[in-house]
Amino acid sequence: MPELPEVESILRSLVPRAEGQKIRDVQVMRSDLRYPIAEDLPQRLAGRRIERLTRRGKYLVFVLEGKGSLLVHLGMSGRLLWQDLAPRYFQHVAWRMALANGENLAYADARRFGFVRLVIQGEQDPLLALGAEPLGRQLNQSYLATKMAQSQRSIKELIMDQSLVAGIGNIYANEILFCAAIHPLRPGSSLIAKDWSRLARCIKKVLKEAIRFQGSSISDFLDSRGKMGRFQKRFAVYTRAGKYCRYCGSVIIGDRHHNRSYYYCPQCQVW
DNA sequence: CGCACCCCCTGCCGGC
DNA sequence: TGCCGGCAGGGGGTGC
């Protein structure tokens, strides 16, 4: 489910209630997520204060007082939900966290592709393997060209590669490439300077706009207060195969590549 | 090294 | 109406 804009929306919905709070205790209901939850996680978190909440790529980061951060990755169907929501939201809760202010946060994940991990001082820290943060200064035309222009891989795969750029998934890769007027299957090596320039601009533009609309809810994305995103109403191409391009009127094409769907406008995104 | 393919898991939707 | 196949925002492993 969640790409950068969705994770950012969840983050913003968590901050007011969670930041600065002490963790009272953590309960694990089922530990069989993508990676098993460490048995000692509850005891290592109990009593510690959440100094700050942040995001890196698609990871939520609970920065703890003293050493260490709790990393939460939501996989495809992970949700962080405040306990005051209706009971129907709490079907697949894997763990929950009680805070000193009386709030309770639950992690629910139907498909269990998500995971949670405590990292100490950058040791084996998955965040270190991530590429540039899309909304940061490092991500620009020359960064993209340097990292991708030698590659024969498709530009869609390249911008979804978390070790190159952190946070773009299947929805926003398609939307970004429409914005940049680049065919999704073009090899990185075929892009020229003005393509890299538009791509850098569109990465920032599309992600920022999606954050403004609190992410995309295709079927089930919700922030921690149970609110849906609204960016799905603004998709130019994603899930719009057979519909008309809002800009040129051509019929949007949908196909599969690398076991993922992709969508593009054959007129706006010429090879 | 790149890349095609398969896996993890549950839910939902459309077609028959 | 019910069943079945295909597909879904994620990442990772294998074998060529």
Side-chain angles (χ1 to χ4, degrees):
Chain A
M1 160 211 328
E3 306 180 30
L4 186 151
E6 288 75 33
V7 178
E8 182 68 27
S9 300
I10 291 169
L11 169 69
R12 293 179 184 188
S13 70
L14 287 174
V15 164
R17 293 199 218 181
E19 207 162 65
Q21 285 300 313
K22 200 176 229 183
I23 298 170
R24 186 181 287 161
D25 62 78
V26 171
Q27 256 188 297
V28 176
M29 280 71 188
R30 59 181 306 168
S31 58
D32 56 340
L33 299 181
R34 174 174 193 110
Y35 307 115
I37 299 178
E39 273 183 39
D40 62 354
L41 187 76
Q43 71 183 64
R44 293 178 70 181
L45 290 177
R48 300 185 67 179
R49 204 173 70 90
I50 302 166
E51 196 170 88
R52 197 160 56 84
L53 271 161
T54 183
R55 178 194 58 72
R56 176 77 173 95
K58 300 175 190 173
Y59 286 84
L60 271 166
V61 184
F62 292 66
V63 180
L64 303 174
E65 198 168 40
K67 287 187 289 189
S69 294
L70 185 71
L71 307 187
V72 179
H73 195 294
L74 301 154
M76 289 279 254
S77 53
R79 288 173 172 170
L80 278 168
L81 301 167
W82 294 110
Q83 201 65 43
D84 53 15
L85 289 167
R88 65 190 166 91
Y89 292 116
F90 298 91
Q91 281 299 311
H92 302 281
V93 174
W95 54 271
R96 49 176 105 240
M97 178 187 282
L99 303 179
N101 61 358
E103 301 274 15
N104 277 275
L105 189 62
Y107 177 85
D109 190 349
R111 295 175 73 181
R112 304 203 304 284
F113 289 171
F115 56 93
V116 58
R117 189 144 90 83
L118 185 60
V119 294
I120 308 295
Q121 271 199 328
E123 259 181 45
Q124 280 197 335
D125 188 339
L127 303 189
L128 299 177
L130 296 178
E133 191 61 32
L135 302 181
R137 233 178 308 155
Q138 189 192 4
L139 193 297
N140 57 29
Q141 170 179 7
S142 70
Y143 177 90
L144 294 176
T146 305
K147 295 280 187 184
M148 302 176 178
Q150 327 305 327
S151 179
Q152 305 310 304
R153 297 166 69 197
S154 69
I155 191 60
K156 175 166 178 286
E157 290 173 71
L158 289 168
I159 62 173
M160 288 174 69
D161 184 333
Q162 303 301 298
S163 71
L164 302 176
V165 180
I168 299 173
N170 207 36
I171 292 178
Y172 297 104
N174 281 288
E175 294 297 309
I176 286 164
L177 291 170
F178 175 82
C179 167
I182 298 170
H183 191 294
L185 300 193
R186 276 179 60 189
S189 60
S190 76
L191 272 61
I192 61 176
K194 66 175 168 47
D195 294 320
W196 297 118
S197 160
R198 285 198 313 274
L199 188 56
R201 242 180 316 117
C202 284
I203 285 173
K204 293 171 194 288
K205 184 182 167 197
V206 170
L207 294 177
K208 276 184 192 167
E209 176 146 1
I211 290 170
R212 202 154 64 78
F213 284 83
Q214 293 161 288
S216 307
S217 294
I218 303 227
S219 60
D220 58 7
F221 164 70
L222 299 174
D223 76 9
S224 67
R225 300 158 305 180
K227 276 191 73 175
M228 287 176 61
R230 303 183 317 280
F231 192 71
Q232 67 280 4
K233 294 173 188 155
R234 302 180 71 87
F235 287 162
V237 287
Y238 191 75
T239 68
R240 297 196 67 241
K243 301 193 168 139
Y244 298 113
C245 174
R246 299 195 172 113
Y247 300 85
C248 78
S250 298
V251 175
I252 302 294
I253 307 290
D255 206 338
R256 290 183 73 76
H257 169 64
H258 266 241
N259 223 19
R260 307 297 293 273
S261 301
Y262 70 95
Y263 304 88
Y264 68 101
C265 170
Q267 182 78 31
C268 296
Q269 296 164 272
V270 289
W271 191 275

